[in-house]
């Protein structure tokens, strides 16, 4: 039985934190400790190894595998072009010639006299790593990573799709709630990080993709709509690799859900400002939440409570009163019986609309 | 083996992926009994990154619960047990950090790769991927996949001794080219266990020697018709401890504390299940359904098998279950109509907020419906995997291709199962045991007469590692303190036709009270019978109906009950649902009410 409530998502107009920015492979760092960086600065670069492509050369030539090294005209480490001759053999007293040519450009990785394969590696792909945050470099791992300390605004969502992106914040439909349709999207939303206070429809997302928006941040979306947008059932427990034409971040979850007041206050405060956004989500084994990070705003920096106590604000994250917020008035020591017949630890909460209700601790997010 | 008389107090922990659970066993009237338990969050991940912190926290909880001080001022375990303090033995199991994650490579997917998968699963691993020469994926895709994975170790197999070598060497070259990095221990070489053709050992070593830490063991498929999994399983165990666990944060300290090797949690469960099956002389099925994965264990015909359905679970994997089973499969278990979109939203919201709990009946019914499908899919996978060996002469058609569907040849068939044990939150912590019974019956659809039990605390791993030292004692604790009998399920096989006479069941209790019920096809009934009560169960099936003694043959046996008593299920196998949605919902409501899972007013029955 859980004793702890869910720690709330980080939502703050101004918070100081550090983040490591890592290359996937060894490369070159372009920033040093003490450097000031902007979010769009390139702080590191590397060459990502190309994919491997084994060629069953001995089989293609019709020769014993052990003979392959004698028949190759290239060596391990050689660069080859597409269609370049790799190996050849002659049969029928030299009358018939067989050839194996490179299916693509690359480097000869290995030539095996056991398996009869020639393994080619495609040309490396250069990658650049953005800072993603504005701040100061406070640490480095040579060739691999930089640590950046930042004072930024931060809004974490509950689930997202798609990876890192950046753009200017634009608030759709004047900040009204309700589910947003395609009519609210305009061509000037190209490249923007669009914010919708309420839910968003699949049609609106389609239109945003058409105009080339960088990202959309909304309260919620219907699960069926998400499947339609993704073109398949996405694994929402671990995301970030999806290519759906933009980055999608939900602050509340699935259904027609309105963004929390706190999240909307920070995001609307960023209107017109350039932010970084990332939809990557991992629900377990090292929780990762999607996020929007922008320049620091005025207003009280706040972090969610870590301990439940009388007077602490909570938000209901499941059930009939999903999204409602209120104050903890009592914390019964013993488990209470729920309508399901199960017994669980709960809070007595006075919601902001005046209703008093029992909320299982597991269903209360500390805010 | 440790002498039982020397041991009066035992403490065992299981370091799960989210929670570390500790149990205390004390000798009372000459026998070890489980007396107290404690738990604390597992602390492998940041910010703590030391598993022993969570262990100590769980032991402090155990101390608070029991009044027995276990940790001294220096944070060390107090040993031996003396003056109401300390313990004589400390043991542990672990699936923390996701447990042992392996990659398996073989020559032929349904021969060497499948045997290798069985070896890895039997050693307690989660198999992240299986690659083979006859994989449908192009080679470069397999290589990319291998490179992206970060397994704890790799098991490579292929070729009978004295037989083909090229394929397994090809797989070794693929591994070398992909150069997978181990999950823990940046800078360490990945352990690779080679259990293929012994004649290829030298060449495999030439290919992999510098890229990996290579260990060669006896071929796990020395000839096509025989498996020899133990050498590979044992090596995986040893490497798990030496190479994997010691790299994971804090594990080397934990390993030094324990009085026996730390076992992977699923291996310990399997060990205990084998003991249970041996003692009861019945085939046993055990399931542990978690938030992300479902483990299914069985001991059937004396053979132990384990599968891990890595995408079937009721919280983190809830959306995967919906995707795999389909909406209709989940909806069919609900006694009410639910908007299709609302069902998907509910399941997806559970996935992204996995620790929330249902607080309405509707929510609970949806979660239990999802659990049924997760269990059903996991059992299908388990049955498909628990088959006879493929590849021998009798398995091939005239062109040499493999024949036979997996479920046709499965060793694990419902009619053989005498006991089903359920574990995992949705089963163990269901508000009523009858709900647990309903989920087990609906998911596994047992036939004949089958006992149902649950392991509420999930003590099986603890007892499994104890069984390695004190086998008989562990078995007694299992029976007395671990397993809670829920009841008995009676379900006939044969042509069960809706509305036609199916079965007459009589329960003759010790005190003389006798209940009798005649059931038609499609009906269900529950005889109340307490767990402490024994009765004579008499089954008289209609013609063509089999209750385990042959078609139309009467059967008598002694049974004890549980909260669910004796549940008679004449819905047929597979369970036949009415086609009309409204009729189906009414039938589901009647079934849930009949078994005592829900009251009529709760579900409108």
């Amino acid at each position: 039985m859980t004793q702890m409530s869910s720690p709330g998502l980080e939502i703050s107009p101004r918070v100081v934190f550090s983040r490591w920015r890592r290359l996937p492979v060894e490369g070159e760092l372009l920033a040093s400790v003490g450097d000031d960086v902007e979010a769009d600065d390139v702080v590191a670069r590397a060459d990502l190894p190309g994919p491997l492509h084994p060629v069953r050369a001995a089989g293609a030539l019709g020769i014993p595998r052990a003979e392959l090294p004698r028949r190759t005209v290239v060596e391990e480490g050689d660069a080859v072009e597409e269609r370049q001759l790799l190996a050849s053999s002659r049969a029928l007293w030299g009358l018939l010639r067989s050839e194996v040519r490179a299916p693509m450009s690359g480097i000869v990785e290995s030539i095996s006299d056991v398996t009869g394969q020639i393994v080619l590696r495609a040309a490396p792909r250069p990658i650049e790593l953005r800072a993603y945050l504005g701040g100061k470099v406070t640490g480095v791992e040579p060739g691999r990573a930089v640590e950046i300390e930042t004072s930024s605004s931060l809004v974490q969502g509950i689930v997202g799709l798609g990876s890192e992106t950046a753009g200017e914040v634009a608030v759709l439909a004047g900040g009204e709630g309700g589910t947003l349709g395609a009519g609210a999207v305009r061509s000037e939303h190209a490249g923007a990080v669009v914010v919708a206070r309420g839910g968003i429809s699949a049609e609106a997302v389609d239109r945003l993709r058409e105009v080339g928006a960088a990202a959309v941040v909304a309260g919620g979306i219907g699960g069926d709509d998400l499947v339609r947008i993704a073109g398949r059932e996405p694994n929402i427990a671990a995301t970030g690799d999806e290519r759906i034409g933009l980055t999608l971040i939900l602050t509340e979850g699935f259904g027609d859900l309105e963004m929390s007041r706190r999240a909307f206050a920070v995001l609307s405060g960023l209107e017109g400002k350039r932010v970084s956004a990332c939809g990557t989500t991992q629900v377990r084994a090292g929780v990762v939440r999607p996020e929007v990070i922008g320049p620091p705003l005025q207003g009280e920096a706040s972090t969610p409570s870590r301990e439940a106590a009388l007077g602490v604000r909570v938000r209901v994250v499941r059930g009939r009163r999903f999204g409602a917020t209120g104050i903890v008035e009592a914390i019964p020591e013993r488990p209470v019986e729920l309508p399901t017949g199960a017994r669980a630890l709960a809070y007595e909460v006075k919601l902001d609309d005046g209703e008093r209700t029992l909320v299982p601790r597991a269903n209360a997010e500390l805010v | 083996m440790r002498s039982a008389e020397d041991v009066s107090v035992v403490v065992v922990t299981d370091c799960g992926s989210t929670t570390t659970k500790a149990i205390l066993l004390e000798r009372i009237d000459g026998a070890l009994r489980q007396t107290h338990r404690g738990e604390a969050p597992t602390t492998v991940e940041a910010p703590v990154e030391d598993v022993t912190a969570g262990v100590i926290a769980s032991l402090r909880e155990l101390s608070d619960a029991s009044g027995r001080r276990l940790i001294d001022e220096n944070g060390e375990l107090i040993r031996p047990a003396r003056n109401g303090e300390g313990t004589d033995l400390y043991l542990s199991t672990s699936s923390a950090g996701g447990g042992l994650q392996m990659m398996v490579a073989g020559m032929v997917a349904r021969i060497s790769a499948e045997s290798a998968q069985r070896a890895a699963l039997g050693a307690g691993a989660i198999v992240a991927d299986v690659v083979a020469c006859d994989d449908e994926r192009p080679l470069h895709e397999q290589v990319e996949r291998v490179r992206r994975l970060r397994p704890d170790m790799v098991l490579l197999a292929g070729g009978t001794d004295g037989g083909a070598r090229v394929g397994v060497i090809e797989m070794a070259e693929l591994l070398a080219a992909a150069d997978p990095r181990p999950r823990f221990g940046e800078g360490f070489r990945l352990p690779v266990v080679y259990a293929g053709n012994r004649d290829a050992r030298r060449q495999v070593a030439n290919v992999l020697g510098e890229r990996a830490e290579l260990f060669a063991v006896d071929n796990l498929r020395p000839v096509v018709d025989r498996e020899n999994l133990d050498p590979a399983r044992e090596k995986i165990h040893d490497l798990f401890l030496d190479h994997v666990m010691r790299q994971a944060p804090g594990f080397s300290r934990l390993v030094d504390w324990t009085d026996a090797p730390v076992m992977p949690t699923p291996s310990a469960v399997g060990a205990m299940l084998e003991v249970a099956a041996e003692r009861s002389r019945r085939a046993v099925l055990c399931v542990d359904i978690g938030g992300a994965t479902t483990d299914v264990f069985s001991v059937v015909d004396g053979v132990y098998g384990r599968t891990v359905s890595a995408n079937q679970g009721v919280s983190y994997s809830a959306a995967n279950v919906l995707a795999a089973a389909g909406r209709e499969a989940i909806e069919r278990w609900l006694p009410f109509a639910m908007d299709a979109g609302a069902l998907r939203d509910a399941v997806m919201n559970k996935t992204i907020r996995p620790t929330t709990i249902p607080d309405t009946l509707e929510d609970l019914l949806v979660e239990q419906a999802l659990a049924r499908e997760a269990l059903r899919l996991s059992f299908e996978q388990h049955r498909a995997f628990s088959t006879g060996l493929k590849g021998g002469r009798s398995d091939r058609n005239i062109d040499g291709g493999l024949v036979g569907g997996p479920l046709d040849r499965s060793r694990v068939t419902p009619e053989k199962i005498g006991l089903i044990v359920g574990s995992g939150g949705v089963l163990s912590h269901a508000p009523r045991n009858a709900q647990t019974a309903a989920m087990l019956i609906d998911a596994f659809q047992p036939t004949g007469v089958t006992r149902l039990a649950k392991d509420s605390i999930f003590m099986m791993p603890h007892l499994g590692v104890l069984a390695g030292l004190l086998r008989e004692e562990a078995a007694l604790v299992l029976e007395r303190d671990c397993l809670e009998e829920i009841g008995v399920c009676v379900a006939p096989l044969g042509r069960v036709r809706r509305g036609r006479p199916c079965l007459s069941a009589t329960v003759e209790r010790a005190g003389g009270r006798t209940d009798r019920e005649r059931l038609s096809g499609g009906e269900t009934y529950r005889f109340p019978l307490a767990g402490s009560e024994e009765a004579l169960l008499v089954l008289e099936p209609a013609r063509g109906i089999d209750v385990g003694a042959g078609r139309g043959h009467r059967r008598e046996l002694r049974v004890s009950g549980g909260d669910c008593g004796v549940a008679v299920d004449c819905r047929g196998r597979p369970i036949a649902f009415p086609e009309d949605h409204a009729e189906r919902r009414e039938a589901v409501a009647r079934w849930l009410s009949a078994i005592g899972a829900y009251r009529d007013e709760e579900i409108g029955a």
Side-chain angles (χ1 to χ4, degrees):
Chain A
M1 166 169 33
T2 182
Q3 305 281 337
M4 306 282 289
S5 303
S6 314
L9 300 171
E10 291 266 10
I11 299 172
S12 178
R14 187 163 36 87
V15 62
V16 177
F17 62 96
S18 293
R19 189 76 66 86
W20 279 97
R21 299 289 292 157
R22 293 186 179 280
L23 287 168
V25 294
E26 188 100 0
E28 179 191 1
L29 299 186
L30 303 176
S32 308
V33 173
D35 287 354
D36 289 318
V37 295
E38 301 292 330
D40 287 330
D41 290 345
V42 176
V43 294
R45 61 179 173 221
D47 287 330
L48 208 57
L52 290 167
H53 196 103
V55 178
R56 293 186 199 273
L61 294 175
I63 60 173
R65 298 176 194 99
E67 217 178 287
L68 178 64
R70 285 202 295 280
R71 301 295 173 186
T72 55
V73 297
V74 294
E75 291 181 358
E76 288 179 8
D78 283 355
V80 297
E81 298 292 323
E82 188 178 344
R83 303 297 306 149
Q84 181 174 330
L85 183 69
L86 298 177
S88 66
S89 69
R90 289 190 178 277
L92 284 181
W93 306 281
L95 293 175
L96 283 180
R97 180 182 158 91
S98 300
E99 294 179 344
V100 170
R101 294 186 175 272
M104 77 230 195
S105 301
I107 307 287
V108 178
E109 179 89 0
S110 65
I111 301 168
S112 174
D113 62 353
V114 177
T115 63
Q117 288 188 136
I118 298 174
V119 178
L120 300 180
R121 188 184 289 279
R125 183 165 60 89
I127 56 168
E128 289 184 337
L129 183 68
R130 280 175 68 238
Y132 183 73
L133 315 162
K136 187 182 283 294
V137 176
T138 52
V140 295
E141 285 178 18
R144 290 309 294 257
V146 298
E147 185 183 29
I148 300 172
E149 185 181 275
T150 182
S151 172
S152 294
S153 54
L154 171 63
V155 174
Q156 281 187 330
I158 191 69
V159 66
L161 295 183
S163 56
E164 289 180 6
T165 190
E168 269 184 28
V169 172
V171 179
L172 278 187
E176 292 162 20
T179 298
L180 216 62
V185 179
R186 300 188 300 279
S187 57
E188 45 268 41
H189 292 136
V193 172
V194 163
V195 173
R197 183 167 193 171
I200 193 158
S201 65
E203 290 73 27
V205 175
D206 283 343
R207 185 76 186 111
L208 284 166
R209 290 195 282 201
E210 274 171 29
V211 304
V216 58
V217 187
I221 194 169
D224 286 346
D225 278 357
L226 187 81
V227 172
R228 214 204 84 189
I229 290 163
R232 58 182 175 87
E233 298 267 1
N235 177 12
I236 56 173
T239 72
D241 289 342
E242 305 74 28
R243 286 176 175 48
I244 59 168
L246 48 58
T247 291
L248 171 73
I249 295 173
L250 305 176
T251 60
E252 311 309 315
F254 297 98
D256 187 15
L257 302 169
E258 188 160 299
M259 194 180 286
S260 71
R261 256 179 283 163
R262 281 172 60 231
F264 186 69
V266 175
L267 288 169
S268 53
L270 288 169
E271 185 157 30
K273 295 183 171 55
R274 189 165 170 84
V275 300
S276 295
C278 183
T280 300
T281 306
Q282 187 166 288
V283 178
R284 71 184 297 235
V287 175
V288 175
R289 292 294 181 193
E291 62 187 7
V292 175
I293 297 177
L297 299 173
Q298 295 300 316
E300 200 174 310
S302 63
T303 50
S305 314
R306 296 286 165 204
E307 298 278 334
L310 295 180
V312 155
R313 283 192 74 76
V314 295
R315 196 151 162 275
V316 180
V317 293
R318 186 165 178 173
R320 183 178 60 88
R321 297 306 314 263
F322 189 120
T325 51
I327 300 288
V328 174
E329 289 194 319
I331 306 178
E333 276 188 16
R334 310 198 75 79
V336 300
E337 184 165 322
L338 303 177
T340 58
R343 301 188 70 79
L345 293 171
Y347 300 126
E348 289 178 15
V349 177
K350 182 180 173 190
L351 298 174
D352 291 340
D353 63 9
E355 180 186 343
R356 285 186 159 83
T357 186
L358 272 174
V359 178
R361 294 192 200 179
N363 296 355
E365 193 174 81
L366 304 177
V367 297
Chain B
M1 289 254 175
R2 187 79 172 247
S3 161
E5 291 77 36
D6 297 338
V7 175
S8 62
V9 177
V10 181
V11 168
V12 191
T13 53
D14 170 59
C15 305
S17 47
T18 50
T19 309
T20 295
K21 298 187 186 74
I23 65 166
L24 178 68
L25 301 162
E26 297 175 281
R27 192 168 294 283
I28 300 172
D29 297 332
L32 278 179
R33 302 298 299 264
Q34 186 264 324
T35 54
H36 297 88
R37 59 192 176 99
E39 62 180 58
T42 296
T43 49
V44 170
E45 311 275 354
V48 182
E49 290 183 309
D50 180 349
V51 71
T52 58
V55 167
I56 289 175
S58 72
L59 296 184
R60 291 198 197 283
E61 289 279 317
L62 191 57
S63 293
D64 288 346
S66 63
R68 171 177 283 276
R69 195 165 81 107
L70 294 169
I71 304 290
D72 66 18
E73 313 71 38
N74 302 317
E76 297 289 333
L77 201 52
I78 299 170
R79 290 189 240 226
R82 190 165 41 212
N83 302 326
E85 291 188 341
T87 181
D88 294 315
L89 268 186
Y90 170 59
L91 305 169
S92 191
T93 58
S94 174
S95 57
L100 170 60
Q101 303 206 8
M102 287 187 63
M103 210 210 83
V104 160
M107 254 174 62
V108 180
R110 288 176 70 189
I111 303 179
S112 50
E114 193 175 283
S115 291
Q117 201 176 350
R118 270 195 283 273
L121 289 169
I126 288 177
V127 177
D129 203 350
V130 180
V131 294
C133 292
D134 60 348
D135 202 299
E136 280 171 6
R137 295 170 288 185
L139 272 172
H140 68 270
E141 246 185 65
Q142 294 183 62
V143 169
E144 273 310 298
R145 174 81 176 132
V146 169
R147 190 169 41 199
R148 287 212 317 260
L149 282 175
R150 297 197 70 181
D152 295 316
M153 70 177 81
V154 172
L155 175 61
L156 173 62
T160 53
D161 287 338
R165 293 178 301 143
V166 171
V168 72
I169 296 168
E170 205 171 89
M171 294 311 299
E173 289 182 348
L174 187 154
L175 280 176
D179 196 22
R181 313 306 305 154
R183 196 158 59 113
F184 290 122
E186 199 66 50
F188 287 89
R189 289 189 297 167
L190 180 73
V192 174
V193 177
Y194 175 64
N197 184 352
R198 62 169 178 248
D199 296 340
R201 277 186 191 174
R202 188 175 51 79
Q203 282 149 324
V204 168
N206 287 343
V207 171
L208 281 174
E210 285 180 14
R211 307 250 194 178
E213 192 80 40
L214 186 65
F215 302 87
V217 299
D218 289 349
N219 196 338
L220 52 77
R221 200 76 181 253
V223 294
V224 166
D225 296 331
R226 187 167 64 85
E227 268 182 351
N228 177 29
L229 302 182
D230 283 349
R233 268 211 291 248
E234 281 159 20
K235 179 53 75 177
I236 291 168
H237 258 181
D238 293 343
L239 289 176
F240 174 61
L241 198 59
D242 292 339
H243 275 244
V244 176
M245 299 272 272
R246 284 195 187 273
Q247 308 305 332
F251 270 110
S252 51
R253 191 167 162 220
L254 180 69
V255 161
D256 290 339
W257 285 356
T258 55
D259 292 306
V262 176
M263 286 180 86
T265 301
S267 294
V269 173
M272 197 62 237
L273 207 65
E274 285 183 291
V275 172
E278 193 183 285
R279 285 174 69 86
S280 69
R281 293 195 296 273
R282 308 177 73 175
V284 181
L285 184 75
C286 176
V287 63
D288 177 25
I289 177 169
T293 65
T294 297
D295 280 36
V296 181
F297 309 80
S298 65
V299 180
V300 177
D301 298 335
V303 177
Y304 163 66
R306 168 183 171 250
T307 50
V308 178
S309 296
N311 283 331
Q312 307 298 331
V314 291
S315 60
Y316 303 99
S317 294
N320 293 334
V321 175
L322 175 61
R327 193 159 26 206
E328 284 182 12
I330 296 171
E331 272 176 344
R332 64 183 170 159
W333 301 111
L334 298 176
F336 55 86
M338 191 169 185
D339 173 75
L343 175 62
R344 185 190 286 280
D345 288 347
V347 170
M348 290 172 92
N349 279 325
K350 175 72 180 185
T351 301
I352 59 175
R353 288 193 170 88
T355 57
T356 57
I357 60 174
D359 57 0
T360 63
L361 279 172
E362 189 176 278
D363 245 2
L364 181 65
L365 281 156
V366 169
E367 281 208 4
Q368 292 182 351
L370 192 81
R372 283 173 173 78
E373 288 304 305
L375 291 167
R376 179 183 67 80
L377 291 169
S378 302
F379 187 42
E380 260 177 33
Q381 287 174 6
H382 185 80
R383 290 192 61 207
F385 205 60
S386 305
T387 59
L389 295 182
K390 300 181 194 74
R393 271 189 292 257
S394 60
D395 301 322
R396 295 189 177 273
N397 62 24
I398 196 162
D399 297 320
L402 293 169
V403 297
L407 289 180
D408 299 337
R409 300 150 52 87
S410 180
R411 185 181 61 248
V412 179
T413 54
E415 61 266 23
K416 288 185 191 172
I417 307 291
L419 168 66
I420 300 176
V421 179
S423 191
V426 69
L427 293 174
S428 304
H429 300 313
R432 295 177 194 134
N433 279 341
Q435 291 169 9
T436 304
M439 282 185 275
L440 292 177
I441 294 170
D442 290 346
F444 295 107
Q445 299 193 25
T447 60
V449 180
T450 312
R451 276 170 57 213
L452 306 171
K454 72 178 188 182
D455 172 6
S456 311
I457 306 171
F458 199 46
M459 219 194 298
M460 296 261 282
H462 305 74
L463 299 181
V465 68
L466 178 66
L469 294 181
L470 297 170
R471 188 181 174 91
E472 283 304 308
E473 301 259 19
L476 286 172
V477 176
L478 178 77
E479 285 165 19
R480 291 172 183 168
D481 301 323
C482 174
L483 293 185
E484 183 179 346
E485 299 278 344
I486 299 176
V488 170
C489 174
V490 175
L493 263 180
R495 294 189 66 195
V496 175
R497 281 185 271 185
R498 183 171 296 280
R500 304 289 287 273
C502 178
L503 165 68
S504 170
T506 306
V507 169
E508 297 175 14
R509 295 181 178 73
R513 188 181 129 205
T514 296
D515 292 319
R516 188 165 196 235
E517 190 72 20
R518 284 194 173 87
L519 284 93
S520 299
E523 290 181 342
T524 56
Y525 187 77
R526 182 177 78 95
F527 294 94
L529 185 69
S532 53
E533 215 184 331
E534 216 183 62
L536 180 69
L537 175 65
V538 180
L539 301 170
E540 294 163 292
R543 210 164 65 142
I545 301 295
D546 184 0
V547 288
R551 286 179 189 262
H553 285 215
R554 174 192 164 100
R555 185 177 177 192
E556 280 187 19
L557 65 160
R558 301 209 73 82
V559 296
S560 51
D563 283 356
C564 183
V566 177
V568 184
D569 179 5
C570 292
R571 293 176 294 173
R573 295 293 188 254
I575 294 172
F577 290 90
E579 284 191 16
D580 178 77
H581 292 314
E583 281 181 30
R584 174 185 51 73
R585 290 191 286 267
E586 281 170 17
V588 168
R590 281 197 303 273
W591 157 243
L592 291 173
S593 172
I595 198 174
Y598 290 88
R599 292 190 293 270
D600 289 354
E601 60 270 23
E602 289 175 330
I603 51 172

